[in-house]
Amino acid sequence: MLDTPQAVLDALRENDGRPHGLHRTVTAEELAEAAEAFDDPALLVTALLELMAAYEFTGEHRKSPVVFARLLKLHETTPDAFSEWEAHQVDWRFKWVTTSLLQVPDMPLATVHGWVDRMRERYEDAGHGLQPVAAMRYHLARHTGTGIPDAYDLWATRTRTRLSDCEACETRHHALHQVFAGDDAGALDTWRPVLDGAVSCSDEPQMSQAHALLPLLRLGRADEARSHHLTGYRQVRGRTGMQEEVGLHLEFCALSRNAARGVEILAENRPLFQATGAPLARLGFLTGTEVLLALLAEEGHTETPVGGPPGRNWTAGELLAEVREEADRLAAAFDTRNGTPAVGEARGLRLDRRPLLDEPLPLGLRTALTGPAAVPAPAPAREIPQDLTELVREARRMAALGHPGDTPLWDRVAELAEADGYAHDTSLGTEARLRAELAEQRAHALYAEDRDRAARTAMEETAELYEAAGMAWHALVARTRALSWDVVITDGDQAGEDSGDARSAGPELWDALDALQREADQLLEKRIAAHDETGADPGPLPAAGPAEGSATAEKYLTVLHCRVFAAYHVALAGTPEIPAPDRERFDALRATLESEAGRLGVPHQRGAARMFAGDVAARLGDHALAERELRAALKEIEASGRPWRGTRVRALLAQVLLCLDRPEEAAELLHQALAEAVRYEDTLFPMAPTYLLLGHAGTHTGDVTGAVRHFSEAATRFDREGEPNDAADARLQLADLLARTGRQADAVAVLESVVGDESAATLDERLLAQTRLTLARGLRALDEHLPAAEEFLRLADTVAGWEDGAQTLTLVAAEAATSLALAGRWEAARTAYDRAFAAHAEAPNPPMLLETACEFARLTVDAHGAEAAEEALRRLADADALYTAVPEDDEDFVHWFARGSIHYRRARVLAQADRFAEALPEAEAAVAAFADGGPDGEERRAEAVRIAALVESHGLGRTQAAVARLDEAAARCERAGLSEAAQILTSVRDDLAAGATD
């Protein structure tokens, strides 16, 4: 009930602690109305100042000047109602009024000038410096586009005063002046202290981060732009007072080719379409929205669903028309009011901007958007022949070479051959042959998609088609490949088959493969130097190796290769200890492939044999052997004249080099592999895992910027490939790197994109849980304690359902309790604390819970003062019980640390309660416990000595004893090489000694 002035004042104090938003603003309006009911001018002043602040920070600029006019009148009639701080606020908020009036196009410019003149008069009368007045005149000039140089000089050359805007905000305006002048580099230099976090305020750095995005992109500093987008957008998301900045983030998404991200931002900020209190900021938001929507429309995505004004569904085209009409009207209204075209021209410049990058800037964020706007269509890598006959011949030529660029050609052939009215050209051989070739391509495509059963079935059908076409070698290779694929089948496929192996790799499989090899041997004997079936085979390969490298040799060696492939997978299934029979079979078959490839002059198959050997050696941990084999494989491939076969070998060798702690060499190989995959159109090359490896390489070389870029690229590519768990894992690794390198806010933004919508439910449960845990800890590190607690509680509910989740629940509930306490939600914190102890009873986790009990004791006293000492001591009694229950011979438990921590915390709680006689023995017990830790405990021992000395001196009046205690401890720290700890103790000793002397 707001029936007394004190009740209103208490409500005002409570409202002041709320975040700015609709709830705070509405409450401030109610409280201002309630304050008017009392004959208490001081209460009304407080209420009006709170209301004006609420309007200012939620973008209600139409209403703010009205409140300020009331404050001015009160100050003139009852100046004694204003405290010193409140009187200062009246002078300070003259600047708010000027900027608010500029926001409203139906406010005459003469009125704005009049307020600036009134501000000048007031400042002169009060003896204030006029730099803030000059700043307001500059902002007015910048808005109207008239007299900017002179106005800037008058502002920039004056000395800052107590009433000047804060350093961070003035830095932003100086930098923006340089941006408008075309000096992006100079602007970013000016911005550095704000963007680096050296100076800040309630509006900064998030406002500067938004405005700096385009200058950074224009200068090619895309990595910095990514970071400022990630961290800056989190701070402006959904805030009506930051409409313009949200619009700048939308524009950034469009110009960095991240339209999908922009569409998600629109969906998250639909309420901003209803915020009309700051028309100029609204125009900035609408213009940024229009830049994004215009790009979507230009690329043919007018029907893409987007988030617009609440109340109906919108497509990009519909919202574009709506936004354009309102923004044009607003810009015209400002230009009419100002008598200049400045606002419309600035809007036109933004709308004329084109994307600044050729490819999307990897942001590291997951986007839920699907459909055409999510991923730009890649440009075709090569010119595909239009004539079907030419197309088929080129596809066959490339297939004979094993060139991966044949895939899009075969795709086009299949499209034409399946079309109505297709007529086969007999110059291409029989139609049966073409159908067999297309079936083979389908089988390989299914295999690349890990649809192993369907792939095997399709390859068996391919064999039958080749048999029907009279192509014995091709049929033999297809049968062998289908049989070799049996050993890798892991999916149940769409046909409803049970998952698991199709058939065991037992004697029957090897007998069947041996029979196929004998068939190949017989065919080779008959045709060792001949072509395959007349008219049914492409004949000799083009000159790419020794003359004896014929198509027959290729097919024969492919049969051998398939047998090695099967033996390789069976051997890998037995790692880390491969059964002797499996190892012997693999070694024998691999050696046969190598020797036969050498005899027949097909070096790329010799390279394949060496690659198999290197891969197995790497998996068994013999990285030196693996490196030798893989380098030998690369030499063979180089000799074959088929460099596209080296991409996977390079990627594998890079993994080995990472294991050998040679990340620079690994990174070079990975870059080569990626470049060759693109050059040779290898659409099946594992690009996403390779970028992930590059991220690890960059981490080890110290190239953090490159590592962030590569982890981000890997995550984006996993998204495109429909691998959500791999994408989430890549983002988890990215977030870990960002957090470890001091970019915790970036890390949180990445993790929020993983857990942020309903699609997170499709992720692996354990992976999602780890992501939530990392996110919660990141939020806590940013002092966002309530959001952190919410994530911990969600995670606790998840792990509570796991059969093996009790110990994890202890950890998560304990961390939730701490975060809730830090957020001031004490009732919920105590509930989470009890939940943690209940989980501990089922699955003990003493170290985690003991730390929580000590921390809870500290927070209890910090939050509630000495009167809460008994509750804090009960928490420490919980810690005692936990410690007592741990066996003394438990080597995984650090007894000295736990014992010392409890005594140390109890000493501090007792001291805060002025129970010094009890506190000193606890501090001394902590000193003794930490001493038991040897060198590892010395720093903690020094801290415990410091507390003991302060208690002894200030609480018990025994300063000389405390000084002696500190002397001994400081000397001990010096002997232990802990100079910083020694300096702290010496400083405390000197302070105590000086006090005793005084």
Side-chain angles (χ1 to χ4, degrees), residues 54-75:
Y55 286 153
E56 175 71 17
F57 291 106
T58 54
E60 290 289 350
H61 292 282
R62 291 182 183 274
K63 300 177 180 180
S64 183
V66 178
V67 179
F68 186 69
R70 295 182 64 190
L71 282 166
L72 271 183
K73 185 174 182 180
L74 279 168
H75 194 266

Side-chain angles (χ1 to χ4, degrees), residues 728-862:
D729 183 63
R731 291 189 171 97
L732 193 57
Q733 295 180 59
L734 169 61
D736 177 68
L737 172 64
L738 291 168
R740 284 190 286 108
T741 53
R743 293 161 62 181
Q744 188 64 259
D746 292 38
V748 164
V750 169
L751 295 171
E752 283 179 333
S753 77
V754 177
V755 306
D757 60 42
E758 60 276 5
S759 65
T762 64
L763 296 176
D764 176 82
E765 188 176 44
R766 304 282 171 146
L767 176 61
L768 180 59
Q770 181 60 55
T771 304
R772 285 201 185 281
L773 178 61
T774 308
L775 171 59
R777 288 172 171 170
L779 288 165
R780 186 175 61 196
L782 294 175
D783 293 330
E784 297 182 29
H785 298 299
L786 187 57
E790 291 170 351
E791 290 297 336
F792 280 127
L793 291 173
R794 289 190 190 97
L795 182 55
D797 291 341
T798 297
V799 301
W802 294 354
E803 291 184 5
D804 59 346
Q807 193 167 64
T808 305
L809 179 59
T810 303
L811 179 150
V812 174
E815 297 211 43
T818 302
S819 293
L820 286 164
L822 287 165
R825 304 299 179 89
W826 279 94
E827 183 176 350
R830 294 182 181 105
T831 300
Y833 182 92
D834 293 340
R835 186 181 190 183
F837 270 83
H840 168 78
E842 182 179 342
N845 189 346
M848 180 69 226
L849 215 51
L850 194 149
E851 180 183 345
T852 300
C854 291
E855 180 67 0
F856 220 73
R858 179 186 74 82
L859 294 173
T860 299
V861 175
D862 286 352

Side-chain angles (χ1 to χ4, degrees), residues 120-183:
R120 179 188 179 92
E121 292 170 3
R122 185 178 181 91
Y123 279 30
E124 285 179 333
D125 291 345
H128 299 316
L130 296 181
Q131 192 261 12
V133 178
M136 291 303 103
R137 295 201 186 283
Y138 167 72
H139 297 324
L140 185 54
R142 168 57 58 194
H143 174 69
T144 60
T146 57
I148 295 174
D150 290 342
Y152 181 77
D153 287 342
L154 285 173
W155 165 47
T157 56
R158 290 179 181 266
T159 304
R160 283 173 48 79
T161 75
R162 181 166 173 255
L163 289 169
S164 296
D165 281 346
C166 77
E167 184 180 353
C169 287
E170 284 214 336
T171 297
R172 178 180 75 251
H173 291 303
H174 284 298
L176 285 173
H177 182 78
Q178 292 171 283
V179 171
F180 295 140
D183 184 8

Side-chain angles (χ1 to χ4, degrees), residues 61-231:
H61 292 282
R62 291 182 183 274
K63 300 177 180 180
S64 183
V66 178
V67 179
F68 186 69
R70 295 182 64 190
L71 282 166
L72 271 183
K73 185 174 182 180
L74 279 168
H75 194 266
E76 291 169 357
T77 58
T78 55
D80 292 343
F82 289 75
S83 68
E84 182 180 350
W85 180 85
E86 288 170 336
H88 172 75
Q89 283 298 301
V90 173
D91 290 338
W92 179 271
R93 295 187 185 189
F94 260 100
K95 298 179 296 182
W96 291 9
V97 173
T98 303
T99 54
S100 292
L101 294 174
L102 275 180
Q103 283 276 345
V104 183
D106 49 358
M107 184 61 63
L109 209 57
T111 302
V112 185
H113 282 292
W115 272 99
V116 177
D117 292 340
R118 189 172 178 182
M119 176 182 174
R120 179 188 179 92
E121 292 170 3
R122 185 178 181 91
Y123 279 30
E124 285 179 333
D125 291 345
H128 299 316
L130 296 181
Q131 192 261 12
V133 178
M136 291 303 103
R137 295 201 186 283
Y138 167 72
H139 297 324
L140 185 54
R142 168 57 58 194
H143 174 69
T144 60
T146 57
I148 295 174
D150 290 342
Y152 181 77
D153 287 342
L154 285 173
W155 165 47
T157 56
R158 290 179 181 266
T159 304
R160 283 173 48 79
T161 75
R162 181 166 173 255
L163 289 169
S164 296
D165 281 346
C166 77
E167 184 180 353
C169 287
E170 284 214 336
T171 297
R172 178 180 75 251
H173 291 303
H174 284 298
L176 285 173
H177 182 78
Q178 292 171 283
V179 171
F180 295 140
D183 184 8
D184 287 340
L188 291 169
D189 284 342
T190 300
W191 251 320
R192 184 175 294 115
V194 176
L195 297 179
D196 289 350
V199 293
S200 63
C201 68
S202 60
D203 288 335
E204 291 293 353
Q206 58 266 29
M207 291 184 75
S208 288
Q209 286 176 315
H211 286 280
L213 291 172
L214 259 61
L216 286 166
L217 276 186
R218 285 194 291 253
L219 291 177
R221 293 160 64 174
D223 295 308
E224 294 171 72
R226 176 200 299 112
S227 177
H228 290 310
H229 171 64
L230 294 180
T231 59

Side-chain angles (χ1 to χ4, degrees), residues 271-293:
L272 296 190
F273 285 100
Q274 297 175 306
T276 59
L280 187 60
R282 179 175 179 81
L283 176 60
F285 168 67
L286 294 176
T287 301
T289 301
E290 186 176 347
V291 172
L292 173 70
L293 296 174

